[in-house]
Amino acid sequence: MSAEEKPGGSGKPETPQTPGEPSGVDLARVALRAAKEAARARGASAQQKKQARRGGGLRSGARADGRDPMGLGAAINRLITERGWEAPAAVGGVMGRWPQIVGEDLAKHCVPQKYDEDERVLVVQCDSTAWATQVRMLAPQLVRRLNEDLGHGTVRRIDIKNPGGGPRRYGPLRAPGSTGHDSSYG
């Protein structure tokens, strides 16, 4: 027996392996993995063909998937998330919970009117100038409280509007060309 032959072998010389080359077992594993992936791909395409023959195929099975019916709350939450309406929806919730956030006394005299998402400004209308002044002094604390509830940076500023419906444009006691209640004086 020579030094290159295996003891009890077939008499064929063994080829020495370098550390970077895969052995026969590793090559077999790679080939098996490739065969499994190809079979899986063929099976998936065959499954799609069967579904197409049966009538268009998108059917719900025993397991839950995206086509299954869902509750109204879950559907609305999904829609809000998909459309990116989280901040406006949260601010809308604040408008509904305004008395709990600012207190009953303040809520009786001041009402949130609108929220500008781009500027991150909440507009509040007060029923008297005294309450408008009070809210102006409390504005930094209200912004902090709102951001704790909604998330940091949701509200940057609160704009406080004084009471009043604006200038009357038309009416039975208006003089043509007048600009306000005191335009006839002087």
Side-chain angles (χ1 to χ4, degrees), residues 91 94 101 115 120 122 139-158:
V91 172
V94 164
I101 293 172
Y115 173 71
R120 299 182 184 232
L122 180 66
Q141 294 151 354
L142 291 175
V143 168
R144 189 174 332 114
R145 193 179 301 166
L146 288 167
N147 283 329
E148 286 172 3
D149 194 41
L150 300 172
H152 181 68
T154 305
V155 177
R156 290 185 186 157
R157 188 177 79 234
I158 296 179

Side-chain angles (χ1 to χ4, degrees), residues 95-113 124-128 130-132 134-135 138 142 163:
M95 290 184 179
R97 293 180 289 123
W98 185 249
Q100 290 86 15
I101 293 172
V102 299
E104 292 294 328
D105 285 342
L106 193 61
K108 287 178 187 174
H109 301 283
C110 302
V111 180
Q113 295 292 312
V124 176
Q125 177 86 40
C126 296
D127 63 2
S128 71
W131 279 104
Q134 184 70 22
V135 173
L138 293 173
L142 291 175

Side-chain angles (χ1 to χ4, degrees), residues 52-116:
R53 271 184 268 151
R54 277 191 250 150
L58 287 181
R59 295 187 180 151
S60 183
R63 293 185 182 92
D65 62 8
R67 302 168 304 192
D68 288 338
M70 62 175 63
L72 181 62
I76 289 174
N77 288 338
R78 183 170 144 189
L79 179 68
I80 287 171
T81 303
E82 287 175 354
R83 302 285 172 106
W85 294 340
E86 289 91 358
V91 172
V94 164
M95 290 184 179
R97 293 180 289 123
W98 185 249
Q100 290 86 15
I101 293 172
V102 299
E104 292 294 328
D105 285 342
L106 193 61
K108 287 178 187 174
H109 301 283
C110 302
V111 180
Q113 295 292 312
K114 66 179 181 175
Y115 173 71
D116 183 0

Side-chain angles (χ1 to χ4, degrees), residues 11-74:
K12 294 183 183 175
E14 186 178 325
T15 55
Q17 291 211 349
T18 59
E21 292 181 24
S23 67
V25 174
D26 293 332
L27 290 173
R29 284 186 185 136
V30 170
L32 179 62
R33 189 176 310 125
K36 283 182 178 180
E37 288 174 7
R40 210 174 290 126
R42 281 193 308 271
S45 65
Q47 183 69 22
Q48 288 173 352
K49 287 178 186 176
K50 281 182 187 176
Q51 285 181 348
R53 271 184 268 151
R54 277 191 250 150
L58 287 181
R59 295 187 180 151
S60 183
R63 293 185 182 92
D65 62 8
R67 302 168 304 192
D68 288 338
M70 62 175 63
L72 181 62

